Amino acid sequence: MNGTGRVAGKAALITGAAGGLGEAMAWMLAREGARVALTDVNLAGVETLAAAINAEIPGVAFAYAHDVASEAQWIDVVERAVEAMGGLSILVNNAGVGGALIFVEDDTVENWRRQYDINLTSVMLGCKHAMPHLRASGAASIVNLSSIAGLAAAPGMGPYNATKAAVWMYTKTIALEAAKMDWNVRCNSVHPVFIKTPILDPFIAMANGDEAKAHERLARGIPLKRIGEPNDVAYCVLYLASDESKFVTGAEFKIDGGMTAQ
């Protein structure tokens, strides 16, 4: 079912789009009128998603293999997406990675660097190489996916906490730079708590594979007493991608069921 055209005529690039939050965002933006370039290291996944979107809304979705930690691949993907869509007005830096809970004495440089490259360096590369095209669009929006873990720490999550906190602050820097230069490019961050996506797999493993039990445990610290759905995040991204949020930049949006209000 098509939406009401809240992002009609816009062109979006969404990283990490093969599943989870990225997939939900892709459907949401496409149904609301945008063309969508879907990127992921899982090429088969984004090709399948693009085919499904195009079956419903012909010709609006494009799929690309993309290691977001690679600058060369960012340059290539942005160029190909701009050519396919006729421009770029929305960048959603969604790709990210978590990992098993690990305390500082057991952590490794390899684990630390992996999370930094995928969660943080990718955001810088995306902003850097998309910016000329976003500026040229006339009115553009960058949405960076951070996390509640970027605002509130937890033991065993050192690299994830650190990278997501850095995404939060880097978002503000980009917002202020764009505003100072009169580029008409807004930049905001989104901070979900536990959402029903594969990133919860380590918690499910801790519950011996019992998904319902894991979700119940995670929901105990959330005032709304449940974990989130991917569309809870996608609706926020839709708002930030649209012109409805034309006076919103450098802000952080918590999608956490009231968790950080306690």
Side-chain angles (χ1 to χ4, degrees), residues 5-14 25-26 28-30 32-36 88-93 134 137 139-145 184-190 233-248 253:
R6 293 171 65 186
V7 285
K10 294 187 180 293
L13 191 158
I14 306 166
M25 296 168 196
M28 186 79 68
L29 293 177
E32 289 292 341
R35 300 178 300 285
V36 291
L88 184 65
S89 48
I90 300 164
L91 171 65
V92 184
N93 281 309
L134 295 169
S137 74
S141 175
I142 299 171
V143 183
N144 294 327
L145 267 291
N184 202 11
V185 178
R186 298 177 296 103
C187 188
N188 296 284
S189 58
V190 174
V233 180
Y235 274 114
C236 183
V237 171
L238 172 63
Y239 166 69
L240 292 173
S242 77
D243 293 336
E244 297 164 12
S245 57
K246 61 184 174 63
F247 198 55
V248 177
F253 287 75

Side-chain angles (χ1 to χ4, degrees), residues 102-108:
I102 185 168
F103 288 84
V104 62
E105 290 181 295
D106 299 315
D107 206 353
T108 64

Side-chain angles (χ1 to χ4, degrees), residues 155-190:
M157 294 179 63
Y160 192 74
N161 286 141
T163 57
K164 291 302 186 179
V167 168
W168 171 47
M169 195 54 58
Y170 186 71
T171 296
K172 294 179 180 295
T173 299
I174 296 300
L176 293 176
E177 286 184 7
K180 181 178 180 62
M181 300 301 291
D182 293 325
W183 287 343
N184 202 11
V185 178
R186 298 177 296 103
C187 188
N188 296 284
S189 58
V190 174

Side-chain angles (χ1 to χ4, degrees), residues 1-4 27 30-32 56-57:
M1 181 182 298
N2 291 333
T4 56
W27 277 111
R31 285 171 170 162
E32 289 292 341
E56 180 178 311
I57 315 165

